[in-house]
């Protein structure tokens, strides 16, 4: 039996090193493409006194915008017709932004990693609706330097070549307090749900405005 000898040249070694470095960077970054977007929703963190650690929930949404999709443009036109709004409204940037969030591709099965206080946390993979969640845990000692901070900020870890920034926040909840569970429309935000035209305008065409007396 003849044994074949193999002596790698410098080109082979260079390619091998590139593949290794690429695989390492991929393992430590979120599986997000440059045409995909992440939105993090605010959450409330609480102290587990038995473990002397902070439990920090994460909830986010990953999707791909489809601005060039013909059928989505048709859907926006149909929305305008259904809402009985004038066709010129489609040129309004605020309307396009808000209506566009209803016309996206939700990204399923995405692995997201987030960074907080120089620590990395893996999130559960995104579901059919593009939503993902997870939990970060920090000890009290991890937060000693930030004991006067009421909000923690974290961000998604992206591939090295992706310079975008997707940030989320979680509020540190004290040992004692009062929770107020409420809807939003006409309780927190002015919507005017009893007037169809005003409701649509406040939802799609105007800057959101809080109900008088609501704390920001």
């Amino acid at each position: 039996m003849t044994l074949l000898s193999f002596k790698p040249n410098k080109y082979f070694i260079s390619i091998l090193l590139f593949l290794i470095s690429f695989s390492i960077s991929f393992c430590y970054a979120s599986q997000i493409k440059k045409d995909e977007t992440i939105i993090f929703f605010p959450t409330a963190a609480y102290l587990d006194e038995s473990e002397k650690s902070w439990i920090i929930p994460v909830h986010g949404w990953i999707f791909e915008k489809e601005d060039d999709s013909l059928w989505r443009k048709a859907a926006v036109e149909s929305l305008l017709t259904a809402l009985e709004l004038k066709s010129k409204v489609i040129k309004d940037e605020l309307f396009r932004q808000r209506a566009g969030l209803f016309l996206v591709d939700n990204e399923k099965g995405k692995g997201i990693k987030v960074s907080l206080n120089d620590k990395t946390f893996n999130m559960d993979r995104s579901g059919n609706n593009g939503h993902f969640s997870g939990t970060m845990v920090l000890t009290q000692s991890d937060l000693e330097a930030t004991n006067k901070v009421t909000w923690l900020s974290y961000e998604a870890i992206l591939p090295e070549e992706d310079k975008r920034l997707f940030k989320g926040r979680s509020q540190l909840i004290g040992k004692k307090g009062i929770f107020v569970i409420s809807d939003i429309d006409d309780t927190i935000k002015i919507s005017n749900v009893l007037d169809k035209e005003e409701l649509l305008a406040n939802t799609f065409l105007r800057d959101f405005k809080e109900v008088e007396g609501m704390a920001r």
Side-chain angles (χ1 to χ4, degrees), residues 30 33 41 49 66-67 69 118 144 153 159 176 180 189 191:
S30 304
K33 300 177 181 178
F41 303 104
E49 294 186 348
E66 293 291 347
D67 296 331
S69 171
D118 296 323
E144 283 180 354
S153 295
K176 296 181 180 180
V180 177
K189 178 181 74 70
S191 299

Side-chain angles (χ1 to χ4, degrees), residues 75-101:
V76 172
E77 290 284 2
S78 298
L79 177 63
L80 288 169
T81 301
L83 299 180
E84 298 179 359
L85 297 174
K86 296 179 180 179
S87 59
K88 67 179 181 180
V89 169
I90 197 170
K91 297 180 181 180
D92 184 272
E93 182 61 25
L94 187 58
F95 172 79
R96 291 179 61 83
Q97 290 177 3
R98 293 182 182 172
L101 292 176

